[in-house]
Amino acid sequence: MKKIFSVEISVVVLLFLVGLVFPGPSYAFGEPDLRITDITFSPNDPRPGEVVSITASVRNQGSSDAGRFYVRIYVDGERKDYEAVSFGLDVGESEDLGFSWTAEAGQHEIEVIADDPFDRINESNEDNNSYVRYISVAPPATGGAAGDIRIAVASFTDKSNSGFANVSNGVSDLVVQNLVNSGFQVLERQQIESVLLEQQFNPANTSDLARASRIAGADALIVGSVTGIDVDKSRIDLGFLSVTGATVRVDLSFRVISAYTSQILAADSVSATAEGQTDASFNFGTIVSSLSQTSQNVCTGGFKVSKSTYYQGEVITVGYLDTSPPTAFTVQFSGPSGPVGPSTFSNYRTSSPSNPCVTWSWNPPGPLTPGNYTANIYTVPPWTPLPVGPINFQVSSGSAPPSWVGQITFGTKQFQDSVVGDAVDKALSKLDSSLAGTLNTSAMTLLNQREEFSGPQMSGEGEGTEPQPGEGGPSGLKCRVVSLEGDDSVILAGIEVECGESSGLKEDDIFSIYPASQVNDPDTGELLEIIPSTDEPIGKVILTGIYDRISRAQIIGNFSVQVGDLAILKE
């Protein structure tokens, strides 16, 4: 009797403690427990008027069988259809139920409730019958104009310091996907990054990003930030049992910028929360705490990697404590066969006096080959490696990566199924709806700016042909530097022909700069030609202002320009 009494007391204490962590539900034994475990949509990104198939999964996770009951769907709080589970569910059994809904523009809350209507089943937990998901139906590219504009999406800046992996690219990739599904033309991010690299632009500078977007052919640039991923955890440890609950808040912001004027056309910020027990991993709270600790460990001084050896599939974390903020940095990992990622332009970080440490958490898209690896850190621009690098680490073969790695990596199914992924999904739904509306209303303005920027057609161009940046003037046109303006701009004037609008030059035309040599007739002393005195250019400039006979240009990168230098239009 004493042992039985002791077991009963232990059970009571256990239920009492769990109730402290997760208050609310009332529990009983020997009864069914119906729960909606998932909601899926097909298609995931519908357009207005499209029929969406909604599938809800219901499970009996109780300790006795459940007889016939019903499941109802709500859209934005409004009652819709219900379906019967005609033969009920035995203990541990699940069933999928199908509903349909005609999509309407905007963000919508889809809620599915088990044992509704009629509330026929007496359950051990009556408070977990509901499951909510959000779906965003972006307004389509309307009126032809929105469908004609070309959009560039920069990698979102990760300001969350959360330790989650691949945040910047993960969010921007989802934004791109949703814009394409809504009928917008979106440039590949690699096109923008190629221009940034070639022209040595600063990815942390909005004007440089806008100019790179324009050179690549975009009308509008979308930049954004992940300003917060906050996980508040409740946890109880009882030796054999560890239960973690979480409330997650995700904050996103974005700006839509004209690629022609660098003007901010619109800006918005959104936030969303999700909460619940973390089904994907009972140790989710421990993982998040560990990530935070890892980020702190690489911020103790200099350029550091979180560990000397990683197993294949593990997240690689590095950090640098900047002694002279603010500065923009990027990192590059290299292995036995060369660079392995990530893209140097999609992962730059900027230090600040209040947060001088910059960190990177990277989960490679595929397992790295075992061997020795290095991490280098660069300032941007110019792309200069810091003397604190490279730092070395190893990748070793071993068993499959821990299951939790997927839960902290943006874009994986495990992440999407986690409570954090749910919060991100809700925030993106709000962002996509706001963004699509902004692009629709800004489309005509952007198309007018495109026409103004392109100017009148040049002689010999076919009807409807748009001159492309970098192709406005005659190939090989020679100009000279006649004046310096500050540290980063020069004035160009013509030699044999004018170096301005009359020669067909346009903004973003690029000139290579050479030291100049004059070739004179030995008999008469007459100037025959001005030629480069070196085989290779010392740098490049990009036109920012075109006048009748002269042009203004901005120096690309960091090099010394002299009055009299030769400028040759890049082919």
Side-chain angles (χ1 to χ4, degrees):
M1 288 297 290
K2 290 182 178 179
K3 290 185 178 179
I4 295 175
F5 179 75
S6 175
V7 170
E8 289 176 345
I9 291 294
S10 298
V11 171
V12 171
V13 170
L14 171 61
L15 291 176
F16 172 74
L17 291 172
V18 171
L20 291 178
V21 178
F22 306 106
S26 56
Y27 296 90
F29 296 97
E31 293 182 334
D33 183 13
L34 302 177
R35 183 183 179 192
I36 303 298
T37 58
D38 195 18
I39 299 174
T40 60
F41 306 120
S42 181
N44 282 314
D45 303 291
R47 300 186 183 185
E50 191 170 5
V51 176
V52 181
S53 296
I54 302 173
T55 302
S57 300
V58 59
R59 175 182 173 84
N60 179 7
Q61 61 182 26
S63 56
S64 67
D65 299 342
R68 177 187 176 94
F69 64 93
Y70 298 87
V71 174
R72 188 194 289 276
I73 187 172
Y74 292 74
V75 179
D76 297 328
E78 182 180 346
R79 292 178 179 176
K80 298 294 184 182
D81 298 336
Y82 60 86
E83 296 288 337
V85 182
S86 301
F87 299 100
L89 291 176
D90 294 341
V91 173
E93 190 178 9
S94 297
E95 184 169 328
D96 291 341
L97 301 169
F99 304 89
S100 61
W101 168 67
T102 301
E104 301 173 358
Q107 185 199 18
H108 301 279
E109 179 188 86
I110 308 297
E111 181 180 20
V112 178
I113 302 179
D115 202 18
D116 178 19
F118 309 127
D119 193 19
R120 300 166 64 104
I121 308 298
N122 290 323
E123 301 180 61
S124 59
N125 182 0
E126 295 283 358
D127 299 313
N128 64 349
N129 289 6
S130 172
Y131 191 101
V132 175
R133 273 200 68 186
Y134 292 84
I135 187 170
S136 179
V137 184
T142 57
D148 289 338
I149 62 174
R150 298 184 291 265
I151 302 163
V153 180
S155 291
F156 273 48
T157 304
D158 180 15
K159 298 181 179 179
S160 67
N161 291 323
S162 63
F164 287 90
N166 302 356
V167 175
S168 297
N169 285 349
V171 171
S172 57
D173 286 346
L174 291 171
V175 171
V176 167
Q177 175 185 322
N178 292 339
L179 287 173
V180 170
N181 290 336
S182 296
F184 292 99
Q185 300 181 55
V186 184
L187 275 63
E188 293 287 340
R189 190 168 59 243
Q190 290 82 354
Q191 294 177 257
I192 310 301
E193 293 179 355
S194 295
V195 176
L196 287 169
L197 179 61
E198 179 183 352
Q199 307 305 329
Q200 294 286 290
F201 286 164
N202 184 354
N205 183 289
T206 301
S207 296
D208 278 5
L209 274 174
R211 182 169 295 157
S213 302
R214 184 167 72 242
I215 293 173
D219 301 300
L221 169 70
I222 297 169
V223 297
S225 299
V226 182
T227 54
I229 304 175
D230 299 320
V231 182
D232 294 327
K233 303 175 295 297
S234 301
R235 184 178 178 190
I236 181 171
D237 286 295
L238 298 172
F240 64 92
L241 176 65
S242 176
V243 183
T244 300
T247 299
V248 179
R249 176 186 171 97
V250 173
D251 298 296
L252 305 175
S253 64
F254 75 87
R255 287 171 290 157
V256 178
I257 298 169
S258 167
Y260 302 104
T261 65
S262 298
Q263 176 189 4
I264 298 175
L265 301 177
D268 198 3
S269 60
V270 298
S271 62
T273 59
E275 59 184 29
Q277 197 167 324
T278 54
D279 294 334
S281 171
F282 280 115
N283 296 318
F284 191 81
T286 304
I287 294 166
V288 173
S289 298
S290 176
L291 291 175
S292 176
Q293 185 62 45
T294 297
S295 295
Q296 294 173 12
N297 289 342
V298 296
C299 288
T300 55
F303 184 39
K304 293 193 173 182
V305 64
S306 62
K307 54 196 296 188
S308 59
T309 301
Y310 295 90
Y311 288 107
Q312 290 174 302
E314 281 195 277
V315 174
I316 299 168
T317 300
V318 297
Y320 177 65
L321 183 61
D322 185 16
T323 57
S324 302
T327 311
F329 302 96
T330 187
V331 294
Q332 180 77 63
F333 298 104
S334 298
S337 58
V340 293
S343 165
T344 52
F345 290 97
S346 61
N347 74 102
Y348 73 88
R349 304 281 189 271
T350 302
S351 62
S352 67
S354 61
N355 189 16
C357 185
V358 286
T359 62
W360 294 263
S361 295
W362 181 56
N363 187 10
L368 295 177
T369 303
N372 296 318
Y373 287 78
T374 61
N376 259 309
I377 184 169
Y378 303 83
T379 58
V380 289
W383 302 90
T384 305
L386 294 186
V388 294
I391 52 176
N392 302 306
F393 61 93
Q394 287 187 325
V395 173
S396 297
S397 59
S399 57
S403 60
W404 56 262
V405 168
Q407 296 173 48
I408 63 168
T409 303
F410 270 65
T412 64
K413 186 179 187 304
Q414 298 101 308
F415 178 85
Q416 292 304 115
D417 289 343
S418 74
V419 64
V420 182
D422 190 19
V424 170
D425 187 45
K426 292 176 181 177
L428 281 173
S429 293
K430 294 180 179 180
L431 183 146
D432 292 336
S433 180
S434 176
L435 189 54
T438 295
L439 292 172
N440 279 325
T441 56
S442 303
M444 191 55 66
T445 298
L446 290 167
L447 290 178
N448 289 337
Q449 289 178 355
R450 183 201 295 177
E451 185 175 353
E452 294 171 4
F453 178 79
S454 300
Q457 289 183 342
M458 289 166 44
S459 160
E461 288 183 324
E463 182 69 20
T465 301
E466 180 185 337
Q468 294 299 311
E471 299 179 357
S475 175
L477 173 68
K478 292 181 179 180
C479 302
R480 294 197 79 173
V481 177
V482 296
S483 177
L484 305 180
E485 293 192 336
D487 295 329
D488 63 352
S489 293
V490 299
I491 299 296
L492 303 181
I495 299 176
E496 297 175 352
V497 297
E498 307 295 353
C499 192
E501 198 172 58
S502 58
S503 294
L505 294 176
K506 297 190 176 299
E507 286 190 14
D508 294 325
D509 279 344
I510 295 170
F511 281 77
S512 297
I513 303 297
Y514 299 82
S517 291
Q518 296 187 171
V519 180
N520 299 310
D521 186 301
D523 296 327
T524 65
E526 179 186 357
L527 177 63
L528 297 178
E529 190 174 358
I530 298 175
I531 63 173
S533 61
T534 59
D535 292 333
E536 297 296 328
I538 58 175
K540 299 174 185 176
V541 298
I542 184 169
L543 298 190
T544 58
I546 313 297
Y547 308 97
D548 185 36
R549 301 173 60 188
I550 62 173
S551 297
R552 175 179 284 108
Q554 181 176 340
I555 296 171
I556 298 173
N558 183 20
F559 67 97
S560 179
V561 183
Q562 304 293 328
V563 172
D565 282 346
L566 184 63
I568 300 179
L569 182 63
K570 185 180 176 184
E571 297 183 4

